[in-house]
Amino acid sequence: MPEWLDIAVRSIFFVVFLFFITKWLGKKQISELSFFEYVTGISIGSIGAEVAMGLERNIFHGIIGIVIFAAIPFLSGLLSLKSKKFRDFVKGTGTVFIKDGKIMEDNLKKERYTTDELLELLRKKDVYQVSDVEFAVLEATGDLSVMLKKENQPLTAKDLNLTVASIKEPQTVIMDGVIMDEPLATIGRSRAWLHTELEKLGVTVENVFLGQVNSYGELTVDLFDDQLQVASPQERPLILSTMKKCQADLELFALGTESKEAKQMYSKNSEKLQEAIDKVMPILKG
């Protein structure tokens, strides 16, 4: 076999082999690397490249080396599940960098971080002033976790005692101009419903690059032609607008009638409708 063909065959084999080894090791191998996983990733890649290019080397020796290097983090992960001490030793622990708005200088030196590097990590979290931080810890993966002081945290609906509707993940029902039947079935919709919604928007399936249905059952689309404008769903805003108009009409009827009974009835129903509007406002407000 010619050398170039031998190298090609070895390379293809090791690409496929390393792919399955990485799948076996799991997602951590390509995301949050521990010390073992970092060393393993470099070593496995080096062994694969060396055996693929080194024609005088036995290919099975390379496979043995890769399997051994892959088995070490796998066994390490199993031991980590059973022993916290071993897990802390292998994966490391977090280091507090900021506490009560004050920088822990000794911990910075311990992890060999400069003040500039700390400020850079904070900026990546959209934090520009150390005194705004209640607590910040450098995780074992090298990421900085930041908790702002209460007064500097963004307001939430809970802080304002507001009731908000729960939101489910959107379902992608059209992709690259092709209807996805499984997501449609998940939300209990049919192709006929989808075509009806597309007609309302004035587009065809073939023109849609991406179509999604949100938790309110509304279809939003992104077209292949970015120059075309598609109106956003108006069903919820229209319902809210209709309810507000009805409530305003009831108030006008109450003011316009001379009958005490009718005035009382209109005023009472106007108040009830206003209460209903207040409850559904977070859902219907577009």
Side-chain angles (χ1 to χ4, degrees), residues 87-106:
R87 181 167 65 249
D88 291 343
F89 175 74
V90 173
K91 297 183 178 296
T93 57
T95 303
V96 178
F97 273 3
I98 301 175
K99 189 174 182 179
D100 298 328
K102 298 180 180 179
I103 298 175
M104 306 287 101
E105 292 85 358
D106 292 339

Side-chain angles (χ1 to χ4, degrees), residues 79-249:
L79 289 173
S80 296
L81 293 175
K82 299 180 180 297
S83 172
K84 187 179 186 307
K85 289 184 179 180
F86 183 80
R87 181 167 65 249
D88 291 343
F89 175 74
V90 173
K91 297 183 178 296
T93 57
T95 303
V96 178
F97 273 3
I98 301 175
K99 189 174 182 179
D100 298 328
K102 298 180 180 179
I103 298 175
M104 306 287 101
E105 292 85 358
D106 292 339
N107 289 346
L108 276 180
K109 293 177 182 178
K110 175 184 174 182
E111 296 294 342
R112 295 184 294 279
Y113 269 76
T114 65
T115 306
D116 288 332
E117 289 170 334
L118 172 61
L119 294 176
E120 179 183 351
L121 291 176
L122 288 173
R123 287 194 295 272
K124 289 180 178 179
K125 298 291 183 179
D126 294 327
V127 178
Y128 295 88
Q129 192 163 324
V130 174
S131 59
D132 292 342
V133 179
E134 179 72 28
F135 186 77
V137 58
L138 183 71
E139 306 292 355
T141 57
D143 295 323
L144 186 70
S145 298
V146 178
M147 182 178 73
L148 294 174
K149 291 181 178 179
K150 186 65 177 179
E151 62 269 20
N152 296 315
Q153 294 178 9
L155 284 175
T156 64
K158 184 178 180 181
D159 295 329
L160 299 174
N161 293 321
L162 294 178
T163 302
V164 295
S166 60
I167 298 177
K168 297 180 180 179
E169 74 279 5
Q171 295 291 330
T172 301
V173 295
I174 302 175
M175 187 178 293
D176 296 327
V178 178
I179 296 177
M180 316 295 288
D181 290 310
E182 185 176 344
L184 266 178
T186 300
I187 58 176
R189 303 292 186 179
S190 64
R191 285 194 171 213
W193 172 86
L194 182 59
H195 284 296
T196 301
E197 293 301 309
L198 289 173
E199 287 179 6
K200 291 179 181 179
L201 297 175
V203 297
T204 60
V205 174
E206 293 76 15
N207 295 330
V208 179
F209 175 68
L210 186 71
Q212 292 183 309
V213 178
N214 61 24
S215 58
Y216 301 109
E218 298 170 334
L219 176 68
T220 57
V221 296
D222 181 85
L223 304 181
F224 283 104
D225 189 351
D226 294 331
Q227 301 299 321
L228 297 177
Q229 299 293 326
V230 179
S232 58
Q234 296 296 318
E235 286 83 357
R236 285 182 294 142
L238 283 174
I239 292 173
L240 180 61
S241 176
T242 303
M243 292 180 69
K244 287 183 176 180
K245 184 178 183 304
C246 290
Q247 191 272 336
D249 288 342

